[in-house]
Amino acid sequence: MYDRDDARWRSDREFVAALAALGRDRSARAVVIRTGATSAARRRTARLVRATHVYVVLGSDHAHRINRRRRADAARTVAGVRTWFARFDRADHVQQFPGWEHVELPAAPAPPTSEPW
């Protein structure tokens, strides 16, 4: 899973570089979570990673979730969410995320066996 909000990404440049590497790997399978208020932004990211599906996650609890993390940039992040919603468009007819039950995730590895071989 590639989520820009994950603390392992120190910068947007680093995250985009990882997405580009993901897109070059023909065997890669991943879920990418990326802001994309405009159709153009979603299209750019979808091309970069060679996405098979693009969804948008909309909700009303973003500010609550941001504040619950207690990070130093909470006020700036909440302002960014407001700007995102002000710019949001559906010119590409993007659909609402249908839920994790509709995402094909890799199967868990088989547990080790205790049988002697």
Side-chain angles (χ1 to χ4, degrees):
M1 180 175 301
Y2 289 71
D3 182 350
R4 174 58 183 98
D5 200 35
D6 190 319
R8 73 178 167 159
W9 308 113
R10 295 174 302 226
S11 68
D12 199 57
R13 174 176 279 175
E14 182 181 38
F15 184 68
V16 170
L19 294 183
L22 176 68
R24 289 188 299 272
D25 182 349
R26 296 255 177 222
S27 65
R29 295 178 54 150
V31 172
V32 175
I33 300 172
R34 174 78 166 146
T35 61
T38 65
S39 298
R42 290 188 294 273
R43 191 170 36 255
R44 268 192 310 276
T45 300
R47 280 190 201 133
L48 182 64
V49 299
R50 297 180 318 105
T52 57
H53 298 79
V54 175
Y55 298 110
V56 66
V57 177
L58 299 174
S60 58
D61 68 340
H62 296 294
H64 175 74
R65 285 178 41 237
I66 291 165
N67 288 318
R68 189 175 61 216
R69 291 186 310 214
R70 299 184 187 276
R71 290 193 346 203
D73 65 347
R76 191 185 85 205
T77 304
V78 169
V81 169
R82 289 189 182 117
T83 300
W84 189 96
F85 277 103
R87 296 179 57 215
F88 179 67
D89 76 62
R90 284 191 191 246
D92 57 354
H93 307 288
V94 66
Q95 298 296 307
Q96 174 75 14
F97 179 61
W100 287 106
E101 64 275 10
H102 298 282
V103 175
E104 187 179 326
L105 298 173
T113 181
S114 60
E115 294 293 320
W117 297 104

